[in-house]
Amino acid sequence: MDLSKLTLQIFSSLEKKWLSDCQNANVWKKTRILSIDGGGSKGLVAADVLIHLEDQIKAKTGDPTARIADFFDLIAGTGIGGIVAAMLTADDGNGRPLYTASQAVKFLKDNRCKMFKPVGIFRRRRFSGTSFDCVLQEAFGRAEGRDLTLKDTCKPLLVPCYDLNSNAPFVFSQADAVESASFDFELWKVCRATTATPRRFKPFELRSVDGKTCCVAVDGGLVMNNPSAAAVTHVLHNKRDFPSVSGVGDLLVLSLGSGICGKPLLSRGKMTRDCSTLAVVEIVLDGVSETVDQILGNAFCWNRSDYLRIQPNGIVGRWSREEKEEGEGVRVLKEKVVESLPFGGKRLLKESNGERIERFVERLVASGKALSPSPSKKPTTTTTAEVEVSTTRLPHP
């Protein structure tokens, strides 16, 4: 009888622990992904949201030195979002991020005029690539006598572009850079490649550090403005760096949008059938990001709290004079969350974007700091089965 009671107590205890683990499964055992959309100077809207994200992390951990990279296992970005992602993950030489979120945003805002400096007769259509290069070289400086490269990041990084050599998307990956010098590129050149918007900048040619891989790049936003899907598939197939991930149920994703290109979403339906070329381009660019959001919304339909998309929705309402002076990035935090529905369409939630981020940060902090090893400590060789799909490329001649 005593043995039966003891057995019952043991199984009751195990059952409580199992139920507790199930309830908290969405807090721990998750690989955390941060994705930042492109969008030219509009991308700074997402950058302002990142400041709030990092401030919340500092507040909830009580650690003033906490950084965004400490609580994410992988960061991806396109266009100016790629620049921000690179700045947040670049290693300062001591295994810590080179920039805080506020420092990165301040640097980009202070240098916006240099980054988008008009040149030539058509001053509104072309920007100076030389001026942009100087800003990026200053941002990533020199570490121990050499330019920072993809390997010099304290967390896995993904930055896409479109390669005119192969007529296909090309994803710059820290995992590739660790694997082979043929896929290791200088960070400032990676950022320059992902922001080479056609008609704004000339295509940007860059070579890997060993000179074996050549890429003639244009803006990654044309094909991958929302890099969330690329980040998710990278983690799912990269068994070397993320061996415990077996499906989207093991992921926690925060995706930051930069807003729609043209008119607010609600006014799009009023467009005539004879859409202008500009309107069509805007729909295509917005459609890429929104399609990715829809797909991921479907993928996470059984655990919707594991996928959070913060996107300015164009429904601004009426702002006071003080709110207008706060800037668009701050106003986005006060907008209500717009969530994609599994079978199409969207719904407006009651909570604001800022409140949603605060709840998301609670989960980040509860799960502890990310434990991804430093790139310098990662193995330099892997088996063929361990190499992720995104890195299966042939070097250009």
Side-chain angles (χ1 to χ4, degrees), residues 121-344:
I121 299 175
F122 303 101
R123 297 181 62 85
R124 296 183 179 180
R125 295 187 178 275
R126 180 75 71 179
F127 298 119
S128 170
T130 302
S131 179
F132 205 156
D133 294 350
C134 292
V135 173
L136 294 177
Q137 289 170 1
E138 179 185 351
F140 296 102
R142 290 182 176 273
E144 300 178 356
R146 66 184 181 88
D147 290 323
L148 293 171
T149 69
L150 280 170
K151 290 175 64 176
D152 299 314
T153 54
C154 55
K155 281 296 165 63
L157 172 70
L158 289 182
V159 178
C161 73
Y162 187 84
D163 180 20
L164 297 180
N165 272 345
S166 60
N167 292 324
F170 190 103
V171 180
F172 298 100
S173 166
Q174 182 226 49
D176 291 358
V178 172
E179 177 73 17
S180 170
S182 295
F183 294 112
D184 190 18
F185 297 83
E186 295 172 49
L187 267 180
W188 79 266
K189 292 182 179 179
V190 169
C191 294
R192 183 69 174 80
T194 193
T195 52
T197 307
R199 298 190 67 183
R200 302 296 185 184
F201 295 99
K202 295 179 181 179
F204 184 74
E205 182 175 351
L206 68 163
R207 289 185 176 273
S208 57
V209 294
D210 64 358
K212 293 183 179 180
T213 304
C214 176
C215 177
V216 179
V218 294
D219 190 356
L222 297 176
V223 292
M224 212 177 296
N225 194 50
N226 179 352
S228 301
V232 168
T233 54
H234 175 89
V235 171
L236 292 176
H237 291 90
N238 187 352
K239 296 304 181 183
R240 184 193 65 188
D241 296 332
F242 307 102
S244 62
V245 177
S246 59
V248 295
D250 298 320
L251 302 179
L252 189 62
V253 180
L254 173 61
S255 176
L256 302 181
S258 58
I260 58 176
C261 292
K263 299 178 181 179
L265 292 175
L266 292 182
S267 63
R268 277 282 172 83
K270 300 178 183 179
M271 298 173 66
T272 64
R273 294 183 179 181
D274 299 325
C275 295
S276 65
T277 301
L278 178 59
V280 171
V281 172
E282 290 175 350
I283 291 173
V284 171
L285 293 178
D286 289 341
V288 172
S289 296
E290 296 305 316
T291 299
V292 170
D293 178 37
Q294 183 71 46
I295 291 172
L296 289 180
N298 290 338
F300 285 86
C301 64
W302 298 110
N303 43 352
R304 300 186 66 84
S305 62
D306 288 349
Y307 171 68
L308 172 60
R309 171 75 169 168
I310 301 296
Q311 170 76 312
N313 51 50
I315 308 174
V316 296
R318 294 183 178 181
W319 301 105
S320 65
R321 180 179 300 178
E322 292 77 11
E323 289 173 326
K324 290 180 179 179
E325 293 175 352
E326 287 177 335
E328 188 176 357
V330 177
R331 295 200 300 271
V332 169
L333 295 172
K334 297 182 179 181
E335 289 182 350
K336 300 299 182 182
V337 176
V338 175
E339 186 177 64
S340 294
L341 297 175
F343 300 102

